[in-house]
Amino acid sequence: MFSLLLAIIYLAYISLGLPDSLIGAGWPAMHAQLGVPVSYAGLITMIISANTIISSLLSNRLNRRFGTGRVTAVSVMTTALGLFGFALAPSFIWLCVIAVPYGLGAGAVDAALNNYVALHYSTRSSTGFTCAGDWAPRSVQT
């Protein structure tokens, strides 16, 4: 059964993937302003990815301790603050610092939502959920 909650979860999951392509899209202008080589975009994405993996691995403990709702709310806020921080970062070092909470938030909300859908909805809903998440980053690439 398709519920309003599942629709909200789908939208949250899609919106989670939307910022993933922003570094690639914005970096040609950003690197010149920051005075760093183009290749430094890889460092930022590695920091984000490493922290996403760390929080994904810890998500089971976090969900059991605080609940999926709290983990998701805090993770979405952390991710949003990280994106806001990217917009205001005065230097490359600050981008690297801000990439840590951004990655932690993104990984935790991703794992929390995946787990919730897997436990509370049908396999069909879970498969659709995964497809929705896979579609989102590709939808904004140029």
Side-chain angles (χ1 to χ4, degrees):
M1 175 175 193
F2 195 79
S3 68
L4 180 60
L5 178 59
L6 187 60
I8 292 169
I9 292 171
Y10 270 71
L11 287 173
Y13 201 73
I14 290 170
S15 64
L16 185 92
L18 291 175
D20 292 347
S21 62
L22 291 180
I23 290 180
W27 193 251
M30 290 173 65
H31 86 90
Q33 290 178 350
L34 296 171
V36 297
V38 174
S39 62
Y40 278 30
L43 294 173
I44 295 172
T45 56
M46 287 187 336
I47 292 168
I48 293 169
S49 296
N51 284 286
T52 298
I53 292 167
I54 290 167
S55 65
S56 294
L57 292 172
L58 296 173
S59 70
N60 190 38
R61 290 183 190 169
L62 292 171
N63 285 335
R64 287 178 190 227
R65 184 169 182 182
F66 301 110
T68 303
R70 285 187 184 145
V71 171
T72 301
V74 170
S75 298
V76 167
M77 270 180 67
T78 304
T79 303
L81 289 173
L83 288 171
F84 187 68
F86 275 14
L88 300 177
S91 68
F92 177 75
I93 297 298
W94 275 107
L95 284 175
C96 292
V97 169
I98 293 164
V100 173
Y102 174 76
L104 290 172
V109 73
D110 186 14
L113 292 176
N114 271 317
N115 184 52
Y116 185 84
V117 171
L119 292 175
H120 295 93
Y121 291 94
S122 68
T123 304
R124 185 176 184 180
S125 295
S126 188
T127 302
F129 184 68
T130 303
C131 291
D134 289 343
W135 172 81
R138 290 172 191 75
S139 68
V140 294
Q141 292 175 351
T142 57

